[in-house]
């Protein structure tokens, strides 16, 4: 499958195909999450199904390659539904004794939620 020339998160547009590590088209790019102050790519919000309830967050390390017409993940198709959903108040995924501290992933999930809900 020809995904086009290599690209970057800066060139991604909503609707770009998202392809699993095993070559299956699993969704479309909905939003790109980046820290504009530091110009660091944080991940993607992807839509994995038609209709509501299909948004998932892909953390930057799970993005294997970005091309003109597709994003290739390091995640197989069978595991796409296990990716976290963006949420306003992400659940504690790890706790190391600080109840009110937010992990890096929780911060990204919250920022992704803000982005998709128009508050970012």
């Amino acid at each position: 499958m020809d995904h086009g020339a290599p690209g970057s998160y800066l060139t991604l547009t909503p609707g770009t195909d998202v392809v699993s590590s095993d070559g299956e088209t699993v969704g479309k790019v909905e939003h790109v999450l980046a820290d504009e102050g530091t110009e660091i790519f944080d991940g993607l919000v992807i839509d994995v199904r038609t209709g509501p309830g299909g948004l998932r967050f892909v953390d930057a390390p799970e993005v294997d390659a970005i091309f003109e017409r597709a994003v290739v993940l390091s995640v197989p198709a069978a595991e796409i539904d296990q990716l976290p959903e963006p949420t306003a108040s992400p659940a504690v995924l790890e706790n190391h004794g600080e109840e009110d501290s937010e992990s890096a992933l929780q911060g990204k999930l919250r920022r992704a939620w803000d982005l998709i809900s128009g508050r970012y």
Side-chain angles (χ1 to χ4, degrees):
M1 183 179 283
D2 179 23
H3 300 307
S8 84
Y9 77 92
L10 297 170
T11 61
L12 277 177
T13 58
T16 301
D17 284 342
V18 178
V19 179
S20 65
S21 62
D22 45 359
E24 187 177 328
T25 299
V26 294
K28 302 277 186 188
V29 171
E30 186 75 20
H31 295 284
V32 176
L33 189 65
D35 183 333
E36 293 179 16
T38 60
E39 297 184 4
I40 294 176
F41 173 59
D42 282 330
L44 302 170
V45 175
I46 63 172
D47 194 349
V48 297
R49 67 177 66 95
T50 303
L55 298 180
R56 295 287 185 270
F57 176 72
V58 181
D59 203 3
E62 295 169 322
V63 175
D64 189 45
I66 298 173
F67 298 95
E68 287 177 306
R69 295 183 292 277
V71 175
V72 179
L73 306 181
S74 61
V75 179
E79 296 177 16
I80 295 298
D81 281 339
Q82 297 171 24
L83 292 171
E85 294 182 41
T87 178
S89 301
V92 174
L93 301 176
E94 282 187 39
N95 186 324
H96 298 286
E98 301 213 16
E99 291 296 321
D100 57 352
S101 65
E102 181 177 75
S103 73
L105 180 57
Q106 288 171 311
K108 290 177 187 180
L109 290 171
R110 184 185 39 73
R111 285 181 42 227
W113 174 259
D114 290 347
L115 218 173
I116 62 175
S117 62
R119 292 183 281 175
Y120 201 77

